Amino acid sequence: MDAVDALNEIAFWLERGRAATFKVQAFRKAAAAITALDAGEVAARARTGRLKSMKGIGDRTFEVIRQAVDGQVPDYLADLRGKGAEPLASGGEEIRAALRGDLHSHSEWSDGGSPIELMVAAAEVLGREYLALTDHSPNLTIANGLSAERLREQLDVVAGINSNGGGTRLLTGIEVDILESGVLDQEPELLDRLDIVVASVHSKLRADRKTMTARMLGGIRDPQTNVLGHCTGRLVEGSRGTRPPSEFDAREVFAACAEHNVAVEINSRPERQDPPDALIQLALEAGCLFSIDSDAHAPGQLDFLQYGAERAARNHVPADRIITTWPVDKLLAWAGKE
């Protein structure tokens, strides 16, 4: 087995299982450390033990590499594959099987942990027809949001990746901040070039109900917006602690989503579970479309769609109202891009 592939697959399974970041990065860094070496050199250094002296190679990663170059599936990887055979969520199997794509993901260009290429490779392994790359916009400096110049550079990278073929189409996109004024945080000309625009609120989440409603309505009414991301901003678990949902007029917001053809995101991150079930029901009543998205910041997190599928099924969301079950041509026609 190729040692780099083994290390990256281990990182994938650890990410999927929500392991600590430092543990995941040990395998990602080891994979990066030996990528520049040809397979013969990796094997020779592993068998003589010289590989241990390389920066980024620890005892566990050395063991994985040594077993891989000896033609074995490393024991640690075999164990993780066995655990990964179990689904992440119980329920939602029909919706999960119907999902074709994912419209919310991040790479190392903003606050994700992996190169774009690794995100696409993982999406392909998971059978995704398409994946939208939606790194953050400039206002979110804490997440290394993309300036207009950097976003233009990224569009060229995406075009290059798609030109190489492959089973997963990488869609251009952004998770753009809805600023306090209700304006989207990127140049309109650039937003017009993107396949998918996910608009989200990331700041001043404790604003009063009237202020937050007006802010969200501004973003929803912008003709460039396709998806309203994690609408309450809540956190229900995880290393960042918990955060209550923001307050807004949900009926007015979801009516605007239905009127302006903006899908409501069912964010699949376990720490978000956003919107809450009661708001999913209100969005259903309003006639909204939905987008089940992973909000993945690492390759293994792309499989979090299982959590979103379970929540959609539990709330009786029809599959035909979930835009991520649509073929890519239908999706892009709906978004006004084809």
Side-chain angles (χ1 to χ4, degrees):
M1 174 171 200
D2 181 81
V4 172
D5 290 345
L7 292 164
N8 278 325
E9 187 179 343
I10 287 170
F12 170 90
W13 290 116
L14 291 173
E15 289 158 352
R16 180 182 182 271
R18 303 168 65 191
T21 299
F22 78 89
K23 191 172 185 179
V24 174
Q25 287 304 313
F27 292 92
R28 293 284 184 209
K29 289 176 181 177
I34 65 171
T35 295
L37 303 176
D38 64 46
E41 180 67 12
V42 171
R45 292 191 185 193
R47 288 168 182 147
T48 62
R50 287 187 298 137
L51 207 60
K52 288 183 178 181
S53 63
M54 285 186 65
K55 185 177 180 181
I57 306 297
D59 290 341
R60 175 59 66 87
T61 53
F62 175 78
E63 180 184 4
V64 167
I65 296 167
R66 178 60 191 266
Q67 291 180 333
V69 301
D70 284 345
Q72 305 173 45
V73 174
D75 294 338
Y76 191 43
L77 176 55
D79 181 60
L80 290 172
R81 283 177 173 178
K83 293 175 180 176
E86 296 297 319
L88 291 174
S90 57
E93 292 85 0
E94 290 186 12
I95 288 179
R96 187 193 317 163
L99 291 173
R100 293 173 178 262
D102 186 346
L103 301 183
H104 189 167
S105 70
H106 298 274
S107 75
E108 64 182 5
W109 282 60
S110 63
D111 63 341
S114 292
I116 299 169
E117 293 82 359
L118 279 182
M119 297 296 290
V120 177
E124 187 165 356
V125 168
L126 291 168
R128 306 282 185 256
E129 182 180 334
Y130 50 87
L131 173 69
L133 178 62
T134 54
D135 281 316
H136 289 286
S137 62
N139 186 61
L140 206 62
T141 54
I142 193 171
N144 194 28
L146 271 63
S147 65
E149 181 180 3
R150 290 180 66 218
L151 180 54
R152 289 188 180 94
E153 292 174 8
Q154 188 180 82
L155 295 183
D156 291 337
V157 172
V158 172
I161 290 171
N162 284 327
S163 70
N164 293 329
T168 298
R169 178 170 172 180
L170 185 60
L171 303 180
T172 57
I174 191 172
E175 184 183 13
V176 62
D177 264 23
I178 304 175
L179 301 176
E180 291 182 68
S181 63
V183 172
L184 300 185
D185 178 40
Q186 190 48 274
E187 296 177 6
E189 174 271 330
L190 258 179
L191 294 176
D192 191 51
R193 291 177 59 187
L194 302 177
D195 295 319
I196 293 294
V197 173
V198 177
S200 307
V201 174
H202 287 102
S203 62
K204 303 292 180 67
L205 295 175
R206 305 315 305 148
D208 64 80
R209 177 184 177 92
K210 182 177 179 180
T211 298
M212 184 61 77
T213 301
R215 180 179 183 179
M216 294 174 75
L217 290 174
I220 291 164
R221 290 167 177 162
D222 189 300
Q224 304 291 359
T225 299
N226 304 119
V227 178
L228 176 64
H230 48 68
C231 64
T232 77
R234 74 174 186 170
L235 294 174
V236 298
E237 61 173 83
S239 60
R240 290 187 289 172
T242 61
R243 182 169 62 208
S246 57
E247 297 182 4
F248 56 91
D249 187 326
R251 293 188 185 277
E252 189 173 0
V253 164
F254 294 145
C257 285
E259 178 184 355
H260 294 276
N261 204 29
V262 172
V264 175
E265 178 180 72
I266 297 178
N267 189 288
S268 299
R269 294 196 68 86
E271 69 269 29
R272 288 193 179 276
Q273 300 179 41
D274 202 0
D277 290 354
L279 292 193
I280 293 178
Q281 292 299 316
L282 285 179
L284 270 172
E285 293 170 13
C288 294
L289 295 170
F290 297 85
S291 181
I292 297 178
D293 298 323
S294 68
D295 193 0
H297 287 63
Q301 295 174 6
L302 289 167
D303 211 17
F304 285 176
L305 288 187
Q306 293 190 43
Y307 296 120
E310 186 277 330
R311 295 192 67 231
R314 175 154 40 91
N315 284 281
H316 306 290
V317 179
D320 61 1
R321 283 173 63 178
I322 301 169
I323 63 174
T324 40
T325 67
W326 296 353
V328 67
D329 290 344
K330 178 179 179 180
L331 174 79
L332 293 175
W334 166 81
K337 302 302 181 181
E338 283 192 357

Short mmCIF file of all heavy atoms in Angstrom, two decimals, residues 147-185:
data_model
loop_
_atom_site.label_atom_id
_atom_site.label_comp_id
_atom_site.label_asym_id
_atom_site.label_seq_id
_atom_site.Cartn_x
_atom_site.Cartn_y
_atom_site.Cartn_z
N SER A 147 -9.56 37.80 0.42
CA SER A 147 -9.72 39.07 -0.26
C SER A 147 -10.20 38.80 -1.68
O SER A 147 -10.16 37.66 -2.17
CB SER A 147 -8.40 39.83 -0.29
OG SER A 147 -7.45 39.10 -1.09
N ALA A 148 -10.62 39.86 -2.36
CA ALA A 148 -11.04 39.70 -3.75
C ALA A 148 -9.89 39.13 -4.60
O ALA A 148 -10.11 38.26 -5.44
CB ALA A 148 -11.51 41.05 -4.31
N GLU A 149 -8.68 39.59 -4.33
CA GLU A 149 -7.53 39.11 -5.10
C GLU A 149 -7.29 37.62 -4.86
O GLU A 149 -7.06 36.85 -5.81
CB GLU A 149 -6.28 39.91 -4.73
CG GLU A 149 -5.03 39.50 -5.49
CD GLU A 149 -3.81 40.30 -5.10
OE1 GLU A 149 -3.92 41.15 -4.19
OE2 GLU A 149 -2.74 40.08 -5.70
N ARG A 150 -7.34 37.21 -3.61
CA ARG A 150 -7.12 35.79 -3.30
C ARG A 150 -8.24 34.92 -3.86
O ARG A 150 -7.99 33.80 -4.31
CB ARG A 150 -6.99 35.59 -1.80
CG ARG A 150 -5.71 36.16 -1.21
CD ARG A 150 -5.64 35.91 0.29
NE ARG A 150 -5.54 34.48 0.58
CZ ARG A 150 -6.15 33.88 1.58
NH1 ARG A 150 -6.95 34.56 2.40
NH2 ARG A 150 -5.97 32.59 1.78
N LEU A 151 -9.47 35.42 -3.83
CA LEU A 151 -10.57 34.65 -4.39
C LEU A 151 -10.39 34.47 -5.90
O LEU A 151 -10.65 33.39 -6.44
CB LEU A 151 -11.91 35.33 -4.08
CG LEU A 151 -13.16 34.62 -4.60
CD1 LEU A 151 -13.25 33.17 -4.15
CD2 LEU A 151 -14.42 35.39 -4.17
N ARG A 152 -9.92 35.50 -6.57
CA ARG A 152 -9.67 35.36 -8.01
C ARG A 152 -8.59 34.30 -8.27
O ARG A 152 -8.70 33.51 -9.21
CB ARG A 152 -9.24 36.71 -8.60
CG ARG A 152 -10.36 37.75 -8.68
CD ARG A 152 -9.93 38.99 -9.45
NE ARG A 152 -11.01 39.96 -9.51
CZ ARG A 152 -11.16 40.97 -8.65
NH1 ARG A 152 -10.26 41.14 -7.67
NH2 ARG A 152 -12.16 41.81 -8.75
N GLU A 153 -7.56 34.28 -7.43
CA GLU A 153 -6.53 33.26 -7.56
C GLU A 153 -7.12 31.87 -7.35
O GLU A 153 -6.79 30.92 -8.07
CB GLU A 153 -5.41 33.50 -6.54
CG GLU A 153 -4.58 34.75 -6.78
CD GLU A 153 -3.59 34.99 -5.65
OE1 GLU A 153 -3.46 34.11 -4.77
OE2 GLU A 153 -2.96 36.06 -5.63
N GLN A 154 -8.01 31.76 -6.38
CA GLN A 154 -8.61 30.46 -6.10
C GLN A 154 -9.47 29.98 -7.27
O GLN A 154 -9.50 28.77 -7.55
CB GLN A 154 -9.46 30.53 -4.82
CG GLN A 154 -9.96 29.17 -4.36
CD GLN A 154 -10.80 29.24 -3.11
OE1 GLN A 154 -11.98 29.53 -3.17
NE2 GLN A 154 -10.19 28.97 -1.95
N LEU A 155 -10.13 30.90 -7.95
CA LEU A 155 -10.95 30.50 -9.10
C LEU A 155 -10.08 29.83 -10.17
O LEU A 155 -10.51 28.86 -10.81
CB LEU A 155 -11.68 31.71 -9.69
CG LEU A 155 -12.71 32.38 -8.79
CD1 LEU A 155 -13.40 33.51 -9.54
CD2 LEU A 155 -13.74 31.38 -8.31
N ASP A 156 -8.87 30.32 -10.35
CA ASP A 156 -7.96 29.70 -11.32
C ASP A 156 -7.54 28.30 -10.86
O ASP A 156 -7.42 27.38 -11.67
CB ASP A 156 -6.72 30.58 -11.52
CG ASP A 156 -7.02 31.89 -12.23
OD1 ASP A 156 -8.04 31.95 -12.94
OD2 ASP A 156 -6.24 32.85 -12.05
N VAL A 157 -7.32 28.15 -9.54
CA VAL A 157 -6.96 26.83 -9.00
C VAL A 157 -8.10 25.84 -9.22
O VAL A 157 -7.88 24.69 -9.63
CB VAL A 157 -6.61 26.95 -7.50
CG1 VAL A 157 -6.43 25.56 -6.89
CG2 VAL A 157 -5.35 27.77 -7.30
N VAL A 158 -9.32 26.28 -8.96
CA VAL A 158 -10.49 25.40 -9.16
C VAL A 158 -10.60 24.98 -10.62
O VAL A 158 -10.85 23.81 -10.92
CB VAL A 158 -11.77 26.09 -8.68
CG1 VAL A 158 -13.01 25.27 -9.07
CG2 VAL A 158 -11.73 26.29 -7.17
N ALA A 159 -10.41 25.93 -11.53
CA ALA A 159 -10.47 25.61 -12.96
C ALA A 159 -9.43 24.57 -13.32
O ALA A 159 -9.69 23.64 -14.10
CB ALA A 159 -10.28 26.88 -13.79
N GLY A 160 -8.23 24.69 -12.74
CA GLY A 160 -7.18 23.72 -13.02
C GLY A 160 -7.52 22.34 -12.50
O GLY A 160 -7.27 21.33 -13.18
N ILE A 161 -8.09 22.26 -11.32
CA ILE A 161 -8.48 20.97 -10.74
C ILE A 161 -9.55 20.31 -11.60
O ILE A 161 -9.48 19.12 -11.91
CB ILE A 161 -8.97 21.15 -9.30
CG1 ILE A 161 -7.80 21.51 -8.39
CG2 ILE A 161 -9.68 19.89 -8.79
CD1 ILE A 161 -8.19 21.92 -6.99
N ASN A 162 -10.53 21.08 -12.02
CA ASN A 162 -11.61 20.51 -12.85
C ASN A 162 -11.11 20.08 -14.22
O ASN A 162 -11.64 19.14 -14.82
CB ASN A 162 -12.75 21.52 -12.99
CG ASN A 162 -13.61 21.60 -11.74
OD1 ASN A 162 -13.79 20.62 -11.03
ND2 ASN A 162 -14.14 22.79 -11.46
N SER A 163 -10.07 20.76 -14.72
CA SER A 163 -9.55 20.39 -16.05
C SER A 163 -8.86 19.04 -16.04
O SER A 163 -8.66 18.43 -17.09
CB SER A 163 -8.58 21.47 -16.54
OG SER A 163 -7.37 21.45 -15.78
N ASN A 164 -8.51 18.55 -14.86
CA ASN A 164 -7.84 17.25 -14.75
C ASN A 164 -8.82 16.08 -14.73
O ASN A 164 -8.41 14.93 -14.61
CB ASN A 164 -6.99 17.22 -13.48
CG ASN A 164 -5.81 18.17 -13.55
OD1 ASN A 164 -5.26 18.42 -14.61
ND2 ASN A 164 -5.41 18.71 -12.39
N GLY A 165 -10.10 16.38 -14.82
CA GLY A 165 -11.10 15.32 -14.79
C GLY A 165 -11.33 14.84 -13.37
O GLY A 165 -11.01 15.52 -12.40
N GLY A 166 -11.89 13.66 -13.24
CA GLY A 166 -12.19 13.14 -11.92
C GLY A 166 -13.69 12.99 -11.74
O GLY A 166 -14.48 13.58 -12.49
N GLY A 167 -14.08 12.25 -10.75
CA GLY A 167 -15.49 11.94 -10.57
C GLY A 167 -16.28 12.99 -9.85
O GLY A 167 -17.52 12.94 -9.84
N THR A 168 -15.61 13.96 -9.21
CA THR A 168 -16.30 15.00 -8.47
C THR A 168 -16.02 16.36 -9.10
O THR A 168 -14.87 16.73 -9.28
CB THR A 168 -15.84 15.03 -7.00
OG1 THR A 168 -16.16 13.79 -6.38
CG2 THR A 168 -16.54 16.15 -6.23
N ARG A 169 -17.09 17.07 -9.42
CA ARG A 169 -16.93 18.42 -9.97
C ARG A 169 -16.81 19.40 -8.82
O ARG A 169 -17.63 19.43 -7.90
CB ARG A 169 -18.13 18.78 -10.85
CG ARG A 169 -18.07 20.20 -11.41
CD ARG A 169 -19.14 20.41 -12.45
NE ARG A 169 -19.23 21.79 -12.88
CZ ARG A 169 -20.09 22.23 -13.78
NH1 ARG A 169 -20.94 21.38 -14.36
NH2 ARG A 169 -20.13 23.50 -14.12
N LEU A 170 -15.77 20.21 -8.85
CA LEU A 170 -15.56 21.23 -7.83
C LEU A 170 -16.23 22.52 -8.27
O LEU A 170 -15.88 23.10 -9.30
CB LEU A 170 -14.06 21.45 -7.60
CG LEU A 170 -13.68 22.39 -6.46
CD1 LEU A 170 -14.22 21.88 -5.13
CD2 LEU A 170 -12.17 22.58 -6.40
N LEU A 171 -17.21 22.95 -7.50
CA LEU A 171 -17.93 24.18 -7.81
C LEU A 171 -17.25 25.37 -7.13
O LEU A 171 -16.77 25.26 -6.00
CB LEU A 171 -19.38 24.10 -7.34
CG LEU A 171 -20.21 22.93 -7.88
CD1 LEU A 171 -21.63 22.99 -7.32
CD2 LEU A 171 -20.24 22.95 -9.41
N THR A 172 -17.22 26.49 -7.82
CA THR A 172 -16.70 27.70 -7.21
C THR A 172 -17.74 28.26 -6.25
O THR A 172 -18.94 28.17 -6.49
CB THR A 172 -16.36 28.76 -8.27
OG1 THR A 172 -17.54 29.04 -9.05
CG2 THR A 172 -15.25 28.28 -9.19
N GLY A 173 -17.27 28.81 -5.14
CA GLY A 173 -18.22 29.32 -4.16
C GLY A 173 -17.56 30.14 -3.09
O GLY A 173 -16.35 30.40 -3.10
N ILE A 174 -18.37 30.54 -2.12
CA ILE A 174 -17.90 31.33 -1.00
C ILE A 174 -18.91 31.20 0.13
O ILE A 174 -20.11 31.02 -0.11
CB ILE A 174 -17.74 32.82 -1.40
CG1 ILE A 174 -17.01 33.63 -0.33
CG2 ILE A 174 -19.10 33.46 -1.68
CD1 ILE A 174 -16.65 35.05 -0.76
N GLU A 175 -18.42 31.24 1.36
CA GLU A 175 -19.30 31.51 2.49
C GLU A 175 -19.09 32.97 2.83
O GLU A 175 -18.09 33.33 3.46
CB GLU A 175 -19.02 30.62 3.70
CG GLU A 175 -20.05 30.88 4.80
CD GLU A 175 -19.83 30.10 6.09
OE1 GLU A 175 -18.74 29.52 6.26
OE2 GLU A 175 -20.76 30.10 6.92
N VAL A 176 -20.00 33.79 2.39
CA VAL A 176 -19.84 35.23 2.49
C VAL A 176 -20.56 35.75 3.74
O VAL A 176 -21.69 35.33 4.04
CB VAL A 176 -20.37 35.93 1.21
CG1 VAL A 176 -21.86 35.69 1.00
CG2 VAL A 176 -20.08 37.42 1.22
N ASP A 177 -19.90 36.61 4.46
CA ASP A 177 -20.52 37.22 5.63
C ASP A 177 -21.66 38.14 5.21
O ASP A 177 -21.54 38.91 4.25
CB ASP A 177 -19.47 38.05 6.38
CG ASP A 177 -18.83 37.30 7.51
OD1 ASP A 177 -18.84 36.06 7.47
OD2 ASP A 177 -18.32 37.96 8.44
N ILE A 178 -22.76 38.06 5.95
CA ILE A 178 -23.78 39.09 5.88
C ILE A 178 -23.37 40.15 6.89
O ILE A 178 -23.38 39.90 8.11
CB ILE A 178 -25.19 38.55 6.21
CG1 ILE A 178 -25.56 37.38 5.29
CG2 ILE A 178 -26.22 39.68 6.10
CD1 ILE A 178 -26.88 36.71 5.64
N LEU A 179 -22.94 41.30 6.42
CA LEU A 179 -22.45 42.34 7.30
C LEU A 179 -23.60 42.93 8.12
O LEU A 179 -24.78 42.68 7.84
CB LEU A 179 -21.74 43.41 6.49
CG LEU A 179 -20.54 42.92 5.66
CD1 LEU A 179 -19.98 44.06 4.80
CD2 LEU A 179 -19.45 42.35 6.56
N GLU A 180 -23.28 43.73 9.11
CA GLU A 180 -24.31 44.32 9.96
C GLU A 180 -25.31 45.14 9.17
O GLU A 180 -26.48 45.26 9.55
CB GLU A 180 -23.67 45.16 11.06
CG GLU A 180 -22.90 44.34 12.09
CD GLU A 180 -22.31 45.20 13.18
OE1 GLU A 180 -23.10 45.77 13.96
OE2 GLU A 180 -21.07 45.31 13.24
N SER A 181 -24.85 45.70 8.06
CA SER A 181 -25.73 46.49 7.19
C SER A 181 -26.66 45.63 6.33
O SER A 181 -27.55 46.15 5.66
CB SER A 181 -24.88 47.36 6.27
OG SER A 181 -24.07 46.53 5.42
N GLY A 182 -26.44 44.32 6.32
CA GLY A 182 -27.21 43.43 5.45
C GLY A 182 -26.57 43.22 4.09
O GLY A 182 -27.07 42.46 3.26
N VAL A 183 -25.44 43.88 3.85
CA VAL A 183 -24.72 43.77 2.58
C VAL A 183 -23.80 42.56 2.63
O VAL A 183 -23.26 42.20 3.68
CB VAL A 183 -23.91 45.07 2.32
CG1 VAL A 183 -23.01 44.92 1.10
CG2 VAL A 183 -24.86 46.24 2.14
N LEU A 184 -23.60 41.92 1.47
CA LEU A 184 -22.69 40.77 1.39
C LEU A 184 -21.25 41.24 1.29
O LEU A 184 -20.93 42.19 0.55
CB LEU A 184 -23.04 39.89 0.19
CG LEU A 184 -24.46 39.30 0.17
CD1 LEU A 184 -24.62 38.35 -1.03
CD2 LEU A 184 -24.79 38.57 1.47
N ASP A 185 -20.36 40.54 1.97
CA ASP A 185 -18.97 40.94 2.16
C ASP A 185 -18.05 40.46 1.02
O ASP A 185 -17.09 39.73 1.25
CB ASP A 185 -18.49 40.37 3.50
CG ASP A 185 -17.03 40.67 3.79
OD1 ASP A 185 -16.59 41.79 3.50
OD2 ASP A 185 -16.34 39.76 4.32
#
